Amino acid sequence: MTDLYLNPQDERIEKDLAEYKRLNKNLAKKYKGKLSELSAEDFLASLQQVEQINVLGSKLAVYAYLNMVTQMKNQEAVVLYQHIDEKMTEYAKPAIFYSLELNRLSATKLRELYKNTNVAFYKPFIERVRRFKSHELPEEQEAIFLDKSVTSGSAWRRLYDEHSARLTYTVNGKTYNDAEISKLLQDKDPKIREKAGKELNRVSKENSALFTFIYNMIVKDKSISDNYRGYKNPVSARNLDNQVDDKALEALVSSVRGQYKNIADRFYKLKAKWLGVKKIQYWDRNAPLPFSDDKLYEWNESVNIVLEAYQQFSEELYQTALPFFNANHSWIDVPPRDGKRSGAFAMPLPAKFHPYLMLNFVGKQNDVLTLAHELGHGCHMRLAIKQGELNEDTPMILAEVASVFAEMITFQSLLSNLKDDKAKLCLIASKVNDMINTSLRQIAFHCFETRVHQERQNGELSSERIEDIWQEEMQTSLGNYVIVDENSRAIWPIVSHFFHSPFYVYAYSFADCLVNSLYQVYKDGKISDFSSKYLQMLSQTGVKRYDSLLKPFGLDATDSGFWNKGLSLISDYIDELEKLDKKLTKAGKIS
Ligand SMILES: [Zn+2]
């Protein structure tokens, strides 16, 4: 990360921190209490200073974060992160006035300021800050809410985190943490999966009194705040944040629910057959197929597969991706190491820097798709930042478009290179598994939390009641070939989003179905110049709403036909699986 700082001891870190402090202080000194009286030129200067603060802040924060997550056991790295995080929070305080005063500007004043084209450039940023204006409370009340949050909502979330982290699981006499036990569900031995599945449920059940209490408090805390702020229903604040209108969400939920049977029943019936049972257990939904071959891919081979898929789709996308593999500077942390955080992500940076990717690549088929996914994020970041440092803030529902789309084109190219039917079946089956987990399962989660938040308005819910709702929603979404019973009905607290970010989960499904619909349009081939329109769309995800971004593709998200188009992609893959299964069974290659 030498483009940011030479090493954690680099003197420029402290220098930049001091500069960050000075800029924030200076912003308050120059503009606090005066924003509504500034000329367009001075207003522009204030915006530019906010931008400068942001660029410097993200350089510092990203360096400290990446330096830590790649070596969590290095105490110095953890200390550096905490140091920078604490100092930045403290130094940023004087600048809080800025968004408050931005909110208080009258519409007339803003119209006047926008006449200056340089100010108008910042419109997406200004509008984003002002989006929550009508739900803001008087300053004194906001201050009380902020102060009290430490002992209310955030306190309950912290208790949830700390308690969850302390939980241990025992299988065959060995002790596991939550990440490790989840891995056992991927074991090829069904007996180990069963023990791990039951153990997950047992531990949740044992702790259900505490989790139930915490969840009741978090839901109530949110409803108190929603009431004061005048949000119509529990999902409203999240919708405003995502810039999703209630109608589009309703269309998504009802389309997905309408497809539960067609998709889940057909897929899990096949999966049960492959696993040699009549119905599969809840924990076996993502189990590996007994006849999968587990071929490993070399890193260079994987890079070539992904880049070729990108190039086939668009030369421009390929050119955007190439610098990530620059021989002189590595932008991707590839293999797993002791102390490196698990998972994968892409890290955005200001335009004058280059985004970083973090992977834990071991060469599995899924790792190739993860590279395609994170590289998709990286390309998206490079395209979107051109709209301006402050303007770029892609909402969650659009943040996954480039990554999921990139994964899809790479999946197709992997698939077309396979000759063997059994390998094809395994690849498609794992893709369908993922698609169900994202498109269907997250909506089942959404329906669960919607019901809990609604019922909470009449008083606290018991553990039994929450488990009832969970079991009903899981069973409805998973259909007749998956068993949801006493051995899995208590595990709802595992979904940390319920505690951390209420109503966050639907965005996963929204994003996935949206990309699937877009991909169907691409496959249909009726939109001329699809790839350049697509890249144009990616460059504007921070400044335009999803509905206007979808227009060039003839798509409308409030129409259930739009969502069904995306869902039909999953259904098409299941058709393919049914055909392959018949063929292979007839040939005696699988039973
Ligand atoms: Zn992603």
Side-chain angles (χ1 to χ4, degrees):
M1 295 185 287
T2 48
D3 62 319
L4 302 173
Y5 298 103
L6 289 179
N7 55 48
Q9 289 78 36
D10 193 332
E11 284 169 7
R12 287 179 304 156
I13 295 181
E14 285 306 319
K15 272 190 194 152
D16 280 353
L17 262 180
E19 176 66 359
Y20 185 77
K21 181 181 182 181
R22 189 191 69 80
L23 283 170
N24 274 293
K25 249 183 152 170
N26 182 269
L27 185 81
K29 203 173 129 204
K30 263 165 84 183
Y31 304 109
K32 193 170 179 182
K34 298 176 197 153
L35 219 58
S36 62
E37 300 149 20
L38 295 181
S39 67
E41 282 72 31
D42 289 341
F43 186 66
L44 176 66
S46 78
L47 283 165
Q48 284 164 340
Q49 190 163 340
V50 171
E51 187 170 82
Q52 203 187 346
I53 292 171
N54 262 40
V55 168
L56 192 59
S58 70
K59 181 188 174 195
L60 280 161
V62 166
Y63 181 79
Y65 183 71
L66 292 178
N67 182 54
M68 177 181 71
V69 292
T70 47
Q71 42 174 346
M72 296 291 289
K73 286 184 180 171
N74 179 345
Q75 201 48 37
E76 270 173 50
V78 178
V79 170
L80 178 70
Y81 173 78
Q82 275 169 352
H83 170 65
I84 291 185
D85 187 46
E86 275 172 27
K87 287 295 171 205
M88 279 180 57
T89 310
E90 185 193 323
Y91 297 161
K93 267 187 189 155
I96 289 175
F97 80 94
Y98 199 83
S99 52
L100 294 174
E101 290 191 29
L102 211 52
N103 270 339
R104 273 188 246 126
L105 293 181
S106 70
T108 339
K109 173 74 186 170
L110 264 182
R111 261 200 305 278
E112 195 148 310
L113 290 169
Y114 285 151
K115 281 182 191 156
N116 178 319
T117 49
N118 292 326
V119 172
F121 173 77
Y122 290 92
K123 198 173 171 186
F125 164 69
I126 296 168
E127 299 299 307
R128 187 171 73 240
V129 174
R130 287 167 64 88
R131 207 189 301 153
F132 294 92
K133 189 172 147 56
S134 63
H135 299 284
E136 247 187 21
L137 303 172
E139 207 169 335
E140 274 173 28
Q141 290 181 24
E142 285 291 352
I144 298 173
F145 261 101
L146 190 66
D147 282 343
K148 288 291 255 179
S149 71
V150 183
T151 52
S152 54
S154 339
W156 293 116
R157 278 185 275 279
R158 203 178 118 198
L159 179 59
Y160 168 79
D161 282 347
E162 290 180 359
H163 189 70
S164 301
R166 276 196 294 269
L167 297 180
T168 55
Y169 305 84
T170 313
V171 173
N172 290 342
K174 258 185 88 178
T175 312
Y176 299 90
N177 66 24
D178 55 346
E180 293 163 340
I181 185 121
S182 305
K183 268 194 197 143
L184 293 188
L185 299 178
Q186 291 295 314
D187 201 283
K188 278 211 167 175
D189 180 353
K191 286 201 190 79
I192 289 186
R193 295 197 305 264
E194 178 176 349
K195 281 185 181 161
K198 286 183 174 168
E199 177 67 359
L200 271 165
N201 189 68
R202 185 194 67 80
V203 172
S204 271
K205 185 95 201 158
E206 204 174 76
N207 292 278
S208 73
L210 180 59
F211 282 133
T212 299
F213 190 82
I214 296 174
Y215 194 34
N216 269 294
M217 288 304 140
I218 286 177
V219 175
K220 182 66 185 177
D221 184 63
K222 175 175 157 42
S223 116
I224 293 171
S225 155
D226 279 356
N227 270 334
Y228 275 100
R229 297 179 184 283
Y231 286 111
K232 219 170 58 208
N233 53 54
V235 77
S236 302
R238 181 66 64 190
N239 282 354
L240 188 63
D241 194 25
N242 285 336
Q243 290 191 278
V244 162
D245 43 300
D246 296 3
K247 244 173 109 188
L249 178 59
E250 275 161 31
L252 167 69
V253 172
S254 79
S255 300
V256 170
R257 289 183 71 91
Q259 287 292 317
Y260 276 168
K261 237 187 127 39
N262 168 41
I263 291 174
D265 269 0
R266 285 169 63 212
F267 179 69
Y268 291 120
K269 186 182 178 184
L270 282 171
K271 184 132 192 179
K273 174 184 175 269
W274 298 328
L275 293 178
V277 290
K278 278 210 170 77
K279 288 181 177 197
I280 61 173
Q281 290 288 352
Y282 183 79
W283 53 81
D284 271 345
R285 300 178 325 275
N286 301 314
L289 298 183
F291 44 80
S292 62
D293 73 348
D294 309 326
K295 163 185 156 56
L296 288 183
Y297 293 78
E298 296 288 335
W299 170 248
N300 287 338
E301 185 187 3
S302 310
V303 172
N304 287 338
I305 291 172
V306 172
L307 285 178
E308 258 171 46
Y310 274 45
Q311 193 171 25
Q312 251 174 28
F313 173 71
S314 144
E315 181 63 28
E316 195 190 334
L317 182 64
Y318 169 71
Q319 292 297 341
T320 313
L322 265 187
F324 279 92
F325 305 96
N326 185 326
N328 300 318
H329 190 114
S330 162
W331 304 107
I332 312 179
D333 190 314
V334 179
R337 282 188 305 275
D338 186 30
K340 180 174 160 182
R341 211 189 85 175
S342 62
F345 63 83
M347 180 55 83
L349 269 155
K352 63 174 171 179
F353 304 108
H354 190 282
Y356 278 91
L357 308 183
M358 198 197 84
L359 306 174
N360 274 285
F361 181 94
V362 293
K364 289 186 180 164
Q365 203 165 49
N366 221 25
D367 293 338
V368 182
L369 293 172
T370 303
L371 168 64
H373 181 105
E374 300 309 334
L375 187 60
H377 278 306
C379 291
H380 187 183
M381 287 164 185
R382 293 194 60 207
L383 293 167
I385 199 72
K386 291 177 192 159
Q387 299 290 337
E389 309 286 352
L390 290 181
N391 290 339
E392 162 46 19
D393 182 42
T394 299
M396 164 71 190
I397 51 160
L398 295 171
E400 290 298 332
V401 169
S403 51
V404 177
F405 197 91
E407 210 179 313
M408 191 60 99
I409 54 179
T410 308
F411 163 76
Q412 281 301 341
S413 119
L414 271 177
L415 188 62
S416 60
N417 286 332
L418 288 178
K419 303 273 171 306
D420 176 45
D421 280 340
K422 208 200 277 180
K424 274 187 197 169
L425 181 139
C426 291
L427 178 60
I428 301 174
S430 91
K431 183 76 189 158
V432 171
N433 245 323
D434 285 351
M435 291 171 104
I436 289 179
N437 285 340
T438 315
S439 297
L440 272 62
R441 187 167 166 75
Q442 304 297 332
I443 289 301
F445 288 173
H446 172 75
C447 294
F448 164 80
E449 60 178 344
T450 302
R451 287 175 65 185
V452 172
H453 281 256
Q454 261 157 10
E455 286 192 23
R456 180 68 183 86
Q457 303 192 339
N458 309 319
E460 281 189 35
L461 281 77
S462 66
S463 298
E464 271 301 298
R465 181 60 195 147
I466 297 180
E467 285 173 24
D468 282 346
I469 300 174
W470 172 262
Q471 191 173 358
E472 273 171 42
E473 293 302 330
M474 290 307 110
Q475 192 70 72
T476 317
S477 67
L478 293 165
N480 293 320
Y481 292 89
V482 180
I483 301 163
V484 188
D485 62 9
E486 288 304 313
N487 291 315
S488 56
R489 68 179 237 129
I491 64 154
W492 62 271
I494 285 177
V495 186
S496 62
H497 286 316
F498 293 154
F499 297 83
H500 280 281
S501 328
F503 299 101
Y504 189 87
V505 289
Y506 81 72
Y508 288 111
S509 175
F510 197 104
D512 215 46
C513 290
L514 188 150
V515 178
N516 291 346
S517 296
L518 205 59
Y519 185 76
Q520 291 281 52
V521 173
Y522 167 59
K523 253 187 18 186
D524 290 346
K526 284 177 195 151
I527 300 285
S528 62
D529 234 4
F530 181 95
S531 65
S532 58
K533 281 182 181 139
Y534 169 76
L535 294 176
Q536 171 74 5
M537 179 192 81
L538 290 187
S539 71
Q540 295 180 322
T541 50
V543 296
K544 278 190 177 174
R545 263 177 66 110
Y546 72 94
D547 35 10
S548 66
L549 289 171
L550 289 174
K551 266 196 191 123
F553 305 97
L555 296 169
D556 170 13
T558 55
D559 172 15
S560 61
F562 164 78
W563 298 111
N564 283 326
K565 196 176 180 72
L567 290 161
S568 70
L569 185 63
I570 312 180
S571 193
D572 291 350
Y573 285 134
I574 300 175
D575 291 346
E576 188 66 31
L577 284 175
E578 284 172 343
K579 268 186 231 152
L580 283 167
D581 174 71
K582 244 187 208 151
K583 203 168 146 194
L584 286 162
T585 310
K586 211 172 156 195
K589 289 190 179 157
I590 59 173
S591 52

